Amino acid sequence: MDEVIKTVLQVITGLLGLSFLVFIHEMGHFLVAKWGGVRVEVFSIGFGKKLLQFERGGTIYCISAIPFGGYVAMSGEQLHSVDPVEPSELADSEKSQSANETSDNESAKLDESESVEHPEKPHSGEEVFTPASTGYNSGDFASKSIPLRAAIAFGGPFVNIVFAFAVLWGLFIYGVPEYEKERLIVGGVQEGFAGEKAGVLIKDTIIAINGNKTLGWNEFLETMAMSDGEELKLTILRGADTIQLPILPYIPEEFAEWGIAYVGVNPSIKVVIRNWLDHSPAKKSGMQKGDELLSINGQNLVSAHDLNRWVSKSEGKELLFKVKHPDGTIAEIKLAPKLFTPEQLPTLKKTRWLMGIQPMEMPLDPPMIRQYGMIEAIPKAWDKGIRMAEKPFIYIGKMIGGQI
């Protein structure tokens, strides 16, 4: 029951977050439209039946039943075909009407005057684009110039970008956890993976990848994950020596369903039980939430991936875990993983051996909370935002190239 309530709360929180982002996005369209003199008929968060609404300044503001999105409805938003009236046609029509109403004497004068040459007004060649010439009202979206319509369309994404930058800027001012980024000290090297094959050792310090300075463990692991079959060169400090080690990331069999490469090189971390499934082998064995998993069958545990590997290859055979309880006591617990199917756990793609826990990696050394000044935080927020924006395109490129 607790898991059901937790899931429902997560869904509700996600929908509220989505609705807020939609509000920010639609606000961008709304503000530019108002600034450009376009009449906004409806500003809605969500679709479908209007649950709450009020009208102000000719605009209906509402919250609708389906919270997956939102919209801004503008007057004259649907373009239709209209034959504009050219100034030359208006002149010809007026000239014809004038000729019919003229007396015979005036006709003679006109005939005489036609022999006099009049200079033509210069024609600029520009398209006449006014509400009267298009058949739209002045407050209609379609009556506005193309640059203004483009600005209204771009207003939503632009406000999203500005909002994201403002949030990152505020976080850097408030304080963000920071680890050592330019010197990655290796805390664990897993047997049989690309890191061990390349010759990486515990206590090595990684300072560059392909000549580029490291930007932290997260960036290192992501770079390795996205580089299946692509040889990289690590610059490593080992004692007083600087060495170059070529490393070839690849997708291990146990990670094939995720489609990411893994090299088995990790920082100094501890693996902690964050949660577990009801009726799981781990819960029945006496393990507790918050337990630190120290070793399996006498081998030190260096990462959550290492734990998954041990469990996957156990094929249900009993494993000996050394754990450290939250109160500091050390215990040895025997546990036999259980075979779970996709029918039992919908998140699984295939049948797997599991111990039924949600592991969490935590650094042995806590990060330093770093606060930046208002000016100093600007380039930090910009750099972080650019790197976050680049990642989806990198992933999509890898997917198109068949690399993931």
Side-chain angles (χ1 to χ4, degrees), residues 138-398:
S138 60
D140 289 348
F141 173 80
S143 73
K144 303 304 179 181
S145 65
I146 292 177
L148 179 56
R149 280 184 279 165
I152 292 172
F154 184 66
F158 177 75
V159 169
N160 282 137
I161 293 170
V162 172
F163 176 73
F165 174 81
V167 170
L168 290 172
W169 179 69
L171 288 174
F172 278 105
I173 293 174
Y174 178 77
V176 292
E178 285 194 354
Y179 299 92
E180 176 63 53
K181 292 185 176 181
E182 296 184 357
R183 299 169 63 87
L184 309 183
I185 300 176
V186 177
V189 179
Q190 290 178 238
E191 182 182 353
F193 285 91
E196 184 194 45
K197 295 176 182 178
V200 179
L201 303 177
I202 293 176
K203 295 186 179 180
D204 277 352
T205 301
I206 304 170
I207 59 174
I209 305 171
N210 285 350
N212 300 314
K213 288 185 178 180
T214 56
L215 297 173
W217 276 107
N218 286 340
E219 293 290 335
F220 172 84
L221 294 173
E222 286 184 9
T223 299
M224 297 297 115
M226 296 295 108
S227 302
D228 177 40
E230 177 186 349
E231 185 176 276
L232 305 175
K233 186 171 290 186
L234 302 182
T235 303
I236 289 177
L237 291 178
R238 183 174 293 170
D241 300 325
T242 301
I243 61 175
Q244 304 286 334
L245 290 181
I247 187 170
L248 184 64
Y250 63 90
I251 301 175
E253 183 179 351
E254 53 264 44
F255 301 124
E257 63 181 283
W258 293 295
I260 59 173
Y262 181 68
V263 296
V265 177
N266 300 283
S268 296
I269 59 172
K270 57 184 178 180
V271 181
V272 177
I273 298 178
R274 182 178 182 180
N275 207 344
W276 49 36
L277 299 174
D278 288 334
H279 310 296
S280 67
K283 187 173 183 179
K284 293 178 180 179
S285 71
M287 289 186 179
Q288 306 172 18
K289 292 181 182 179
D291 276 355
E292 179 186 347
L293 305 179
L294 302 175
S295 67
I296 302 177
N297 289 353
Q299 300 293 317
N300 290 336
L301 203 60
V302 297
S303 71
H305 293 303
D306 198 17
L307 170 63
N308 291 334
R309 191 183 189 199
W310 272 100
V311 173
S312 296
K313 70 180 183 179
S314 71
E315 297 184 345
K317 295 178 182 178
E318 193 174 74
L319 300 173
L320 178 62
F321 286 83
K322 180 181 283 187
V323 302
K324 182 178 181 181
H325 293 310
D327 61 5
T329 59
I330 305 295
E332 289 189 345
I333 297 176
K334 293 181 179 180
L335 181 152
K338 177 183 174 183
L339 198 61
F340 283 82
T341 66
E343 288 73 23
Q344 293 172 296
L345 285 178
T347 55
L348 293 178
K349 293 184 179 180
K350 63 180 182 179
T351 300
R352 292 183 57 193
W353 293 101
L354 298 173
M355 53 188 291
I357 69 167
Q358 181 182 4
M360 175 176 60
E361 294 181 346
M362 298 179 64
L364 290 177
D365 299 319
M368 176 186 66
I369 302 300
R370 172 78 184 274
Q371 293 179 315
Y372 292 86
M374 297 180 67
I375 302 300
E376 190 182 13
I378 293 175
K380 286 286 183 181
W382 177 262
D383 180 63
K384 183 67 174 179
I386 291 296
R387 285 191 284 115
M388 291 174 65
E390 287 176 343
K391 286 177 183 177
F393 295 100
I394 294 174
Y395 296 156
I396 291 171
K398 297 281 187 181

Side-chain angles (χ1 to χ4, degrees), residues 85-100:
V85 181
E86 297 291 342
S88 59
E89 294 177 5
L90 288 172
D92 290 342
S93 176
E94 292 173 358
K95 186 183 289 184
S96 174
Q97 183 178 357
S98 177
N100 291 334

Side-chain angles (χ1 to χ4, degrees), residues 75-123:
S75 175
E77 200 167 358
Q78 300 297 323
L79 300 176
H80 58 262
S81 178
V82 176
D83 295 328
V85 181
E86 297 291 342
S88 59
E89 294 177 5
L90 288 172
D92 290 342
S93 176
E94 292 173 358
K95 186 183 289 184
S96 174
Q97 183 178 357
S98 177
N100 291 334
E101 295 175 354
T102 313
S103 64
D104 293 337
N105 291 335
E106 290 173 334
S107 296
K109 292 179 180 180
L110 285 173
D111 292 338
E112 183 178 352
S113 65
E114 284 176 358
S115 62
V116 181
E117 294 184 358
H118 296 281
E120 295 184 358
K121 291 183 179 180
H123 191 272

